[in-house]
Amino acid sequence: MTPRDLTFVLGGARSGKSVHAERLADSSTLPVTYIATARVSDDVEFSARIAHHRERRPAHWALHEAGVDLAGAVAQVDAPGHCILIDCLTLWLANLLCPAEGEAVSLDRYHAQVTALEAAFVDAHSKLIVVSNEIGLGVVPLGAATRLYVDELGRLNQRIAALSTQATMMVAGLPLALKTAGAA
């Protein structure tokens, strides 16, 4: 059995986490599939952000746009000798906790999706690079929905960090090693 190879890259907005993750994927010399979790909308500014990410990625990387079934997306593209870059858990969580078109938020559905994602990561044969935001460093947010989001992202990040073989915190474009391969 191949040991799990999961690198977790965290950071704040504009910390350099996506660029760092892309460099890690590129330097792996493996075929790369980029799993995008952003929900495309009519938001002009957000669409520009997505376009910037697309332009920066190598053209030969495969792209898979995941919906809320991120575990299914990972399982679909997983293969030995392959690298999967997921950018990012933050937007995936927003899609689950802030569903489109007025769907009701289901914490049971969210917890089932997280459990399935953990299982997909444990079972994966690919090198995994997972990006997420660290948003819990500030004050406690106003509003129950925002507090729920911040709390659940913190819990999700902890769960993925526990599974990771390496974890890096990006600050001002600088990678800070939080966990290195072989460390518990």
Side-chain angles (χ1 to χ4, degrees), residues 74-87:
V74 169
Q76 184 177 352
V77 301
D78 183 38
H82 194 79
C83 178
I84 299 172
L85 174 81
I86 299 169
D87 197 356

Side-chain angles (χ1 to χ4, degrees), residues 40 101 162:
V40 179
E101 302 170 18

Side-chain angles (χ1 to χ4, degrees), residues 92-164:
W92 175 68
L93 176 64
N95 293 339
L96 282 167
L97 295 182
C98 306
E101 302 170 18
E103 295 175 37
V105 173
S106 169
L107 290 181
D108 289 338
R109 177 182 177 202
Y110 162 69
H111 291 295
Q113 289 287 346
V114 170
T115 299
L117 183 61
E118 284 179 306
F121 286 173
V122 168
D123 294 341
H125 300 285
S126 297
K127 173 181 184 58
L128 299 170
I129 301 170
V130 181
V131 177
S132 188
N133 284 59
E134 176 52 70
I135 64 172
L137 298 173
V139 298
V140 176
L142 295 175
T146 307
R147 280 191 302 277
L148 173 67
Y149 180 80
V150 170
D151 290 349
E152 290 304 323
L153 183 59
R155 289 182 186 108
L156 176 61
N157 285 346
Q158 288 182 50
R159 291 171 79 163
I160 303 309
L163 288 176
S164 72

Side-chain angles (χ1 to χ4, degrees), residues 7-70:
T7 300
F8 193 36
V9 181
L10 293 154
R14 298 291 172 249
S15 62
K17 61 192 174 296
S18 293
V19 170
H20 181 72
E22 290 163 4
R23 286 182 186 145
L24 290 174
D26 199 42
S27 69
S28 76
T29 69
L30 300 170
V32 176
T33 297
Y34 184 101
I35 298 181
T37 63
R39 184 185 321 151
V40 179
S41 69
D42 294 335
D43 182 328
V44 174
E45 185 272 337
F46 192 67
S47 293
R49 286 176 180 248
I50 292 171
H52 178 71
H53 276 252
R54 285 181 179 151
E55 291 165 5
R56 194 176 57 218
R57 288 193 302 265
H60 64 276
W61 285 7
L63 172 65
H64 186 96
E65 294 181 349
V68 294
D69 183 15
L70 186 53

